[in-house]
Amino acid sequence: MKYLVRDKIFAVGDDYWIEDEFGRHAFLVDGKALRLRDTLELKDPDGRILITIRQKLLSLRDTMTLERDLAPLATIRRKRLSLIRNHYRVTLVEGTELDVGGRVLDREFRVDYDGELLALISKQWLTVRDTYAVEVVREDADPALLVAVAVCVIRMAEREREGD
């Protein structure tokens, strides 16, 4: 299943619908304004919060956290000791690790688990300007989690680029 995400829309205070490949509303991204730290909520079409995305404030490296039902779900960091600049590691609370790598700033990257492709993020085949697709490859994968991971690593890569 593919999810279409409009690029450059995820500012704090912005709300935006992510659509599936058939044009149906799949997720609402709710940017929480007036918060001390960067916070987004990924909601289902009925308004239920699926995942909360937060920038971690007190961290040596840029870190974002994902929460589900007010409980920690995952931590996302740029991978240390990697020769590839845009390489991130997602550590789920139960210990599972996902690798994210590719040309993140170009919106051409992938999310893998143990060498197996979970999601492909690309804008290569899209004609809609400033839009990229999150294609969830495995049927048993969590689409909300993979969309949240894509949003996080793009935000982190852009912040890192701005810091250069």
Side-chain angles (χ1 to χ4, degrees):
M1 175 70 76
K2 285 185 185 173
Y3 299 93
L4 303 178
V5 184
R6 190 172 300 158
D7 214 354
K8 307 283 186 202
I9 200 77
F10 296 111
V12 174
D14 284 347
D15 294 346
Y16 177 71
W17 281 103
I18 295 173
E19 297 176 346
D20 67 15
E21 60 192 304
F22 305 107
R24 298 179 299 225
H25 289 170
F27 305 108
L28 175 67
V29 177
D30 184 358
K32 295 298 179 184
L34 303 174
R35 296 273 173 106
L36 189 57
R37 59 184 174 174
D38 199 359
T39 302
L40 300 169
E41 291 176 344
L42 191 65
K43 298 179 177 181
D44 70 10
D46 295 324
R48 288 184 297 266
I49 299 170
L50 302 173
I51 295 180
T52 302
I53 302 167
R54 297 184 199 278
Q55 177 184 3
K56 201 165 183 177
L57 281 180
L58 302 172
S59 179
L60 295 175
R61 293 184 290 153
D62 194 13
T63 303
M64 295 192 85
T65 60
L66 304 178
E67 299 171 1
R68 180 174 276 151
D69 299 325
L70 302 175
L73 175 63
T75 302
I76 303 172
R77 291 186 180 95
R78 190 165 69 79
K79 193 170 180 181
R80 277 192 267 168
L81 305 174
S82 175
L83 298 175
I84 305 168
R85 182 180 178 129
N86 288 314
H87 197 175
Y88 296 83
R89 171 152 295 139
V90 179
T91 306
L92 301 174
V93 290
E94 78 273 356
T96 302
E97 291 186 342
L98 308 179
D99 284 316
V100 180
R103 297 185 331 267
V104 174
L105 292 171
D106 293 332
R107 307 324 186 239
E108 299 292 336
F109 60 98
R110 52 189 288 146
V111 180
D112 294 301
Y113 168 66
D114 201 23
E116 184 178 346
L117 179 65
L118 295 180
L120 189 60
I121 294 76
S122 178
K123 64 180 188 177
Q124 182 177 5
W125 303 109
L126 298 177
T127 57
V128 180
R129 191 166 179 244
D130 296 329
T131 301
Y132 62 91
V134 177
E135 182 178 1
V136 178
V137 176
R138 280 190 44 173
E139 288 184 27
D140 61 341
D142 181 348
L145 172 64
L146 294 170
V147 167
V149 166
V151 169
C152 284
V153 298
I154 289 170
R155 290 177 75 89
M156 292 170 76
E158 287 178 344
R159 271 201 301 266
E160 186 176 307
R161 178 181 59 190
E162 291 167 3
D164 287 345

